[in-house]
Amino acid sequence: MLEIKGLKVKLEEEDKQILKGVDLTIEPGTVHAIMGPNGSGKSTLSYVLSGKDGYEVTDGSAALEGEDLLDMEPEERAAAGLFLAFQYPVEIPGVGNMTFLRTAVNAQRKARGQEELSAGDFLKEVREKAKSLKIDAEMLKRPVNVGFSGGEKKRNEILQMAMLEPKMCILDETDSGLDVDAMKLVSEGVNALRSEGRSFLVITHYQRLLDHIKPDVVHIMADGRIIKSGGPELALEVENNGYADILAEVA
Amino acid sequence: MALAQLKMDTTAARLADVEIPQGAAWGNAARADAMARVRQMGLSTKRDEYWKYTDPASLTVADAPAAAVFQSDEAPLFDAVDRVKIVFVDGVFDADASDDLSAEGVEIERLADAMATDIHWAKDIYGVLEKRGQIPVERPLAALNTALATDGVVIRVTGKASKPINFVYLHRDETSDAILHNVVKVEAGASLTLLESGPAAARFSKLLEVDVADGGIFNHVRVQGRDHERRAITHCFARIAAESTFKSFTLTFNGVLTRNECILEIVGDDAVAHVAGACLGDGRDFHHDDTVFVTHDAVNCESRQVFKKVLRNGATGVFQGKILVKEGAQKTDGYQISQSLLLDDDSQFLAKPELEIYADDVACSHGSTSGAIDETALFYLRSRGVPMIEARNLLTLSFIAEALDEIEDTDLADELRDRLEGWLSRHS
């Protein structure tokens, strides 16, 4: 699904290398988690993959189902099936959540040469999917993320994911700012989307989220590289002992 | 040259071949009084403090600069609204194109007819509110309008108007120089919605005086444009009495020179006065100026000024806004925000927000910002698959939303939003 090879990235503005050669292969239908201390490059990886400005790829490649991602505009990556759930979803006053969702869904359909969804079909689908995420009609009417609580914003991200039906989902610290109940709700939303043709990359600091979204593979990232990969037990090890042991082990 | 001399010369040149329209007694007196004030003040020049950011030269020269007639590919505005249409072609009332000047709750007369009536309610408003609004800032172009207005209507609202009144402007002559003066009196407890739409003339001076009595409601929605070569100076003088509501919103597309002045005087307790506007300009020769002066002279009143400007390709936007809270105007709630969205480095926004407060128990705030499209929000939209241009337009609409929210009637707001989207798709 996603294949990253020797990816090296620096900040455009300053001469600071953030990613120093990341290799990562994610098979279809699998859930991978990346954990790592602050500043290890986890969020940068998610931004570079989704096409945010301000980063320069100095070496390596990233491909989604064989298509070179790094050459595409952010909207082209989205249409190709990539989705990033933001750590800090952006507030957009004056644009209704529903309008935003419909614009996004139809833009992607158009880019893929599919017909746009009719207003009726769209509404039906949104209502259904919103219901399972406990997003009420009021929240759908409000401007995008404006006045939403932390939990509501993250649920809204998952709703977008559910509507856009991407192939490759990156969740950037989706657990940050969530209480136990909200985390459960969000995780259920994600788990409902797990399927053979869809892969996930879950970026998190804590093992807690991985109790709910069970990963197939766990990677530890430090100083711009993936330094260790393993099964779910690796996340437990981090939870119990912190990163120090692992960092010492590979040093 | 000394400023006084420059003003005198400017005034002399403008008035050289001018004759005051003659009618019946009170009209002539009001016009003569206004003309005397023009001569005494002298017309505005670029060197006047109040015209520091906008050059009034093309508004004060004797011969109006020509402007090409704009051919719109859009349906006329407010076509779906059940309204009384009052049509002015190059500033001249067109009876044939207009609807019957009647609706339940309103009395409409042509200005000249009102002036020809010895005793008329309009006598106490025509040029009177304009004159009140000359203090503390002189507005000679408003006085000039009172002196020279060639047409207009006077509207007395006696009850809840059964439908909105729509001033529909048509521009047909490339050299037209129109001077219109309209008067609205909203009697106690009465209400009216006034709409204005359409390109009016090559040069357009328009003055509106609105007197809202106790408990009256006046809603105003105006759309200027999309003609680009026009030059327009408009004034709205309103006197707002106790427990009444005044709300005005203006949407402006294009225009080499537009200056909209709104002068509100709140004279009765518990009144509400809102004035808002949004303008969209594209190109180095776009210049738009919103100049607002709100005076609080009563207790427990609320005023709001919300102005948004979208400027691209070297366009210029100006905002001069003042809230004056007089002594004793306690519990005043005054709010003012003026913002511009600069879509490139060449565009500029010049803002002069002012507060002057002589009461000690008030809440007043003002803010002014200019900025570019939020890159983070842009990336957020694009990451959801929304193409660059569409994403930028959505964020532009988002920027304007706060001003558009000032329109009470959601159907009207929707119609204006459609026009906004149309403009954005043509200019992206």
Side-chain angles (χ1 to χ4, degrees), chain B residues 394-416:
Chain B
L394 258 183
L395 292 175
T396 305
L397 282 175
S398 152
F399 166 76
I400 297 170
E402 188 190 1
L404 217 52
D405 281 348
E406 288 291 320
I407 302 173
E408 202 98 318
D409 185 318
T410 50
D411 288 342
L412 291 178
D414 286 345
E415 188 171 353
L416 265 51

Side-chain angles (χ1 to χ4, degrees), chain A residues 174-175 178-189 208-210 212-213:
Chain A
T174 292
D175 49 340
L178 292 188
D179 60 30
V180 181
D181 293 337
M183 182 160 6
K184 207 164 157 249
L185 200 59
V186 164
S187 304
E188 280 167 9
R208 219 172 40 161
L209 178 68
L210 304 179
H212 299 287
I213 306 172

Side-chain angles (χ1 to χ4, degrees), chain A residues 47 50-53 73-75 78 82-86 89-90 92-95 99-100 103-104 107-108 144-145 157 160 164, chain B residues 374-391 393-402 405 417 421:
Chain A
Y47 287 144
S50 49
K52 191 176 185 193
D53 279 347
E73 296 296 332
E75 54 268 35
L82 187 77
F83 181 91
L84 169 65
F86 279 50
V90 181
I92 307 177
V95 177
T99 309
F100 165 62
T103 307
Q108 292 204 11
V144 182
N145 293 325
E157 292 291 285
Q160 292 167 31
L164 294 169
Chain B
D374 179 351
E375 289 295 330
T376 309
L378 192 64
F379 172 61
Y380 187 61
L381 289 173
R382 295 177 74 194
S383 78
R384 297 302 180 250
V386 182
M388 177 74 159
I389 289 170
E390 216 173 319
N393 290 350
L394 258 183
L395 292 175
T396 305
L397 282 175
S398 152
F399 166 76
I400 297 170
E402 188 190 1
D405 281 348
R417 193 174 291 110
E421 285 173 9

Side-chain angles (χ1 to χ4, degrees), chain B residues 243-417:
Chain B
E243 293 173 13
S244 66
T245 302
F246 172 99
K247 288 190 179 175
S248 174
F249 176 86
T250 301
L251 178 60
T252 309
F253 298 111
N254 311 337
V256 293
L257 177 59
T258 310
R259 167 132 155 171
N260 294 329
E261 294 193 19
C262 191
I263 301 95
L264 309 180
E265 187 185 10
I266 306 175
V267 297
D269 298 345
D270 306 308
V272 172
H274 291 192
V275 53
C279 77
L280 297 97
D282 187 348
R284 199 158 288 282
D285 60 353
F286 173 86
H287 187 104
H288 183 93
D289 177 335
D290 287 300
T291 291
V292 180
F293 200 111
V294 177
T295 304
H296 281 265
D297 197 9
V299 176
N300 198 32
C301 296
E302 171 197 308
S303 74
R304 264 174 85 80
Q305 303 171 36
V306 180
F307 286 87
K308 304 268 182 167
K309 294 177 168 59
V310 176
L311 305 168
R312 66 192 303 257
N313 291 327
T316 300
V318 175
F319 176 80
Q320 305 189 102
K322 181 157 182 172
I323 305 174
L324 169 64
V325 180
K326 287 196 168 175
E327 213 181 317
Q330 303 295 8
K331 307 282 179 199
T332 287
D333 179 3
Y335 174 76
Q336 179 196 89
I337 184 87
S338 67
Q339 296 180 305
S340 73
L341 180 64
L342 306 175
L343 293 177
D344 53 68
D345 294 340
D346 292 342
S347 296
Q348 57 169 348
F349 178 49
L350 306 159
K352 196 169 107 184
E354 288 178 284
L355 289 177
E356 196 176 330
I357 301 172
Y358 297 99
D360 54 10
D361 184 14
V362 301
C364 284
S365 65
H366 66 160
S368 184
T369 64
S370 57
I373 288 268
D374 179 351
E375 289 295 330
T376 309
L378 192 64
F379 172 61
Y380 187 61
L381 289 173
R382 295 177 74 194
S383 78
R384 297 302 180 250
V386 182
M388 177 74 159
I389 289 170
E390 216 173 319
R392 212 172 48 202
N393 290 350
L394 258 183
L395 292 175
T396 305
L397 282 175
S398 152
F399 166 76
I400 297 170
E402 188 190 1
L404 217 52
D405 281 348
E406 288 291 320
I407 302 173
E408 202 98 318
D409 185 318
T410 50
D411 288 342
L412 291 178
D414 286 345
E415 188 171 353
L416 265 51
R417 193 174 291 110

Side-chain angles (χ1 to χ4, degrees), chain B residues 178-194:
Chain B
I179 308 177
L180 270 185
H181 194 124
N182 300 302
V183 174
V184 176
K185 183 179 191 184
V186 182
E187 299 283 9
S191 66
L192 174 74
T193 296
L194 177 68

